[in-house]
Every structure is written in structure tokens, then in C-alpha cells.
Amino acid sequence: MPSARKSPAPCPVDLALQGGGSHGAFTWGVLDRLLEDEAIAIDGISGTSAGALNAGVLASGYARGGRAGARAALEAFWRDVAGAGGCFGAARAAPTAAGLAGFNLDANPFYQWFSHLSQAFSPYQLNPLDINPLRDLTRRHVDEAALRSGPLTVFVTATAVRTGQPRVFQGTDLSVDALLASCCLPQVFQAVEIDGEAYWDGGYSGNPAIWPLIYNTPALDVVLVQINPLVRPKLPQSADEIADRVNEITFNAGLVAEMRAIAFVQRLVGQGRLDAGEYKSLRLHMIADQKGLAPLDQSSKLNTAWPFLQDLHRMGRAAAARWLAAHGGDVGQRSTLDIAHSFLSPRQADPPRQE
């Protein structure tokens, strides 16, 4: 039974935003709906890749104009993404068939050419001048001062190329370069160098990182916005399908590991084997639409066609609305994400279950 919505003071909530190229427009829709809800008070945001871009734009807009400013900033950013074309590596392309799957690029000749080229040559060979349309786009929409000292606390994860370890940028470390580092797919862009260290996409080490929210914000409720599927019912058989699934598993590995650790600590606290006063007992939630996004493959993450981004935005808003209707009253009270079912030992291709 859906929990009743409450109307006291807004409950502080942290957001954990996954990356996934243009699928980040789904997260835009989720954020757009959450920002309308006065019972939800966003405190901290941890983002990776497209999630980091959403976090940076949201924080910038929020610093200028509160909730309305954040919503306007996110819409302006994603409209600019559509206009810029190839900022995620490929380009916008019209649908080739009815339904969401029509935005997949696997049969698009340009995408096929781009894919083969990126497998044969590195971005250092193909793009020696390091031209990155995402750089100028991000500069147009992100206020670095708001990132560093605005009303929202932002954490951005990138992967150090040399060590393979995550680096979480926060406070004065945050910059447009940090956001670009978090989005840097090594097959598409040259590594982003910051303070003498080269970085690739944060999805390899934390998509997104949860622990910065645990240690650096007072909020006990964390809402994960998931856009990378944990489960695929169909066995991949073609080379492209296998590569896509390997990529999804890789980009979920860090999150799954963190969820295992969180579940372990929560179990020990619940058994009285750890002091509850010394460990933060999180209330975890997740907004997702695995069934709705299932028709999309890896290639669609590079498609920035405006109709596609609009469809994803609508799906994100609808997913957030369903979650608010079912679990808005649980915020501040209890977890609604069943970690064990969703992250520890899923044995069948069913949607994530909520408690």
C-alpha cells in the first residue's frame, strides 16, 4: 500500500546520480519532478559522468534561483546537448523505427563507422588537438563558484588512469575539468589532466560513489537514480551485445561493491555488533525504470536527438512521480530499497524490489 505523504518540514535527502551518456536525460526528468516536491530538500549530490553533469548544472541553477532556477538550468543544458550534437561521442540521429528502440544507433552507418574507427585508433590519433564539444557546453551551464561553495554539496567521481582508483572531487577541487574528467570515455576523449594526474570516466570506479555522502553530509536518506541496468534477461550473443553487457557490468561493479558494504554494516548494527552511534544508518531509496529503458542498447547513449532526450525526460518524471506516490511518506522514516534483493544476489531478471 502506498505510504501517506506528510507535510512537515522538508526532509534532507542526498542524491546519487549514475552516468550513462544521453540516458542522463532520464535523470533530468527525475530531478525535474523531485524539485517540484516541497517535502524533498536536496542536500548533497554525488554524480558520475552524465550524473556529474546533472549535479553541476543543478547546483549552478539552484544557487541562482532555488528550485525553479535548478529546473530551468537543467532544461537549458539538455536543450544545448541536443543542439551540440556529438558531445557524447557520436551525434544526434532520428529514430529508425517506432518506439524507444528506434533511437538505438547500432544500425546507423555513421555510428558503425565511428565505432570501427574508435577501435582502430585512439583519440590521441584521431583528435590530436583534443577538441571536445562537451567542454564549451559545460562551461556555458556550470558555475564553478556554485559548485565549490553553493547551497548544495556536490561530489564528482573520476578514475585515476595511473592507479585505477577513484578520486572524488569536492569543495575547492571542483571545476569544469573535474566534470569533464568524470565524463571521459577513453575510447572517445583524451584523458583529462588535473594537478598532474590523468583521469578517465568515473564509471569505472564508482557509478556513482555513495561513500562521500555517508561521511560528508548530515542527511540519512539517499536516493539512487539508476539508469544502468543490473539485469538483462537475454543472453548476449553478438559481438556488440557482448561488449555492451561487459560495459554495463563494469560500470555497475563499484556501486554493487558499495551496496554490499553498506548492507554488511547495517546488518552488524542491527545485530548490536557495531555501535549505532558511530555508524550512519542510511535509509536507501532507488528511482529507476529498468523495464522502460530495456529496449535501449549502449549505442543509444551517444544519441542526442532532442525527441529522444524528451522521451527520456518524460520517463524520468514518470518514474519519480511513481516513487513519490508510493514512498514519499517513507522519506525520513525507513528505507524503501531492498539491497539484498537488488544488489547482493539477484537470480532472475525481475525489476528491483522495494521494501
Side-chain angles (χ1 to χ4, degrees):
M1 176 179 291
S3 55
R5 296 306 311 274
K6 295 180 171 63
S7 57
C11 181
V13 167
D14 287 338
L15 302 177
L17 310 180
Q18 279 199 320
S22 62
H23 293 193
F26 175 89
T27 302
W28 161 37
V30 171
L31 298 174
D32 193 41
R33 181 62 185 87
L34 292 181
L35 285 163
E36 288 181 343
D37 196 299
E38 297 289 341
I40 301 292
I42 299 172
D43 184 17
I45 314 172
S46 178
T48 293
S49 199
L53 295 174
N54 274 318
V57 173
L58 188 158
S60 300
Y62 198 94
R64 290 192 300 268
R67 294 171 183 267
R71 294 183 64 206
L74 285 164
E75 179 175 357
F77 171 76
W78 284 100
R79 283 184 179 276
D80 208 357
V81 166
C87 59
F88 289 124
R92 55 187 179 270
T96 56
L100 204 62
F103 289 103
N104 290 331
L105 299 176
D106 50 345
N108 182 287
F110 174 79
Y111 173 78
Q112 291 291 342
W113 172 80
F114 173 81
S115 180
H116 290 306
L117 202 63
S118 63
Q119 291 174 22
F121 300 96
S122 82
Y124 296 88
Q125 296 168 305
L126 291 174
N127 185 13
L129 298 180
D130 194 22
I131 298 171
N132 185 350
L134 191 57
R135 181 178 292 112
D136 290 338
L137 188 150
T138 304
R139 285 173 177 162
R140 288 196 293 272
H141 294 274
V142 172
D143 180 352
E144 290 186 335
L147 278 184
R148 295 166 179 163
S149 57
L152 302 181
T153 306
V154 177
F155 307 93
V156 170
T157 303
T159 305
V161 178
R162 183 176 57 86
T163 65
Q165 296 298 308
R167 176 176 174 182
V168 176
F169 294 87
Q170 63 187 93
T172 57
D173 289 338
L174 285 166
S175 64
V176 167
D177 279 347
L179 298 180
L180 294 174
S182 185
C183 299
C184 182
L185 289 172
Q187 301 89 351
V188 179
F189 302 114
Q190 294 186 23
V192 177
E193 189 168 310
I194 301 174
D195 300 330
E197 187 77 58
Y199 293 95
W200 283 340
D201 197 292
Y204 296 112
S205 55
N207 190 24
I210 305 293
W211 60 265
L213 301 172
I214 297 174
Y215 293 109
N216 297 286
T217 73
L220 295 178
D221 287 84
V222 176
V223 178
L224 168 66
V225 182
Q226 187 213 19
I227 55 178
N228 280 320
L230 290 166
V231 176
R232 287 283 191 183
K234 180 185 174 183
L235 177 67
Q237 296 182 340
S238 71
D240 286 342
E241 289 173 344
I242 292 170
D244 287 354
R245 188 56 185 150
V246 168
N247 183 278
E248 288 173 347
I249 292 170
T250 300
F251 271 58
N252 278 326
L255 176 63
V256 171
E258 277 202 85
M259 287 297 185
R260 287 180 181 274
I262 291 169
F264 179 66
V265 170
Q266 288 184 331
R267 185 166 67 250
L268 293 181
V269 170
Q271 294 171 349
R273 298 167 66 183
L274 289 178
D275 184 354
E278 295 184 11
Y279 292 87
K280 193 173 181 180
S281 183
L282 294 178
R283 295 183 288 264
L284 293 170
H285 316 274
M286 183 163 71
I287 300 176
D289 187 355
Q290 291 204 50
K291 184 177 180 180
L293 294 175
L296 297 175
D297 62 24
Q298 189 72 16
S299 68
S300 66
K301 293 181 178 180
L302 307 184
N303 192 347
T304 56
W306 179 238
F308 180 42
L309 302 183
Q310 288 179 300
D311 282 349
L312 291 170
H313 171 262
R314 283 191 288 269
M315 291 176 65
R317 277 190 61 90
R322 289 193 298 271
W323 179 80
L324 286 168
H327 299 294
D330 295 315
V331 176
Q333 303 296 318
R334 63 188 66 84
S335 291
T336 60
L337 172 63
D338 185 339
I339 298 179
H341 176 79
S342 297
F343 290 93
L344 301 191
S345 57
R347 292 182 173 85
Q348 56 187 7
D350 53 357
R353 187 173 66 203
Q354 296 176 324
E355 294 174 342

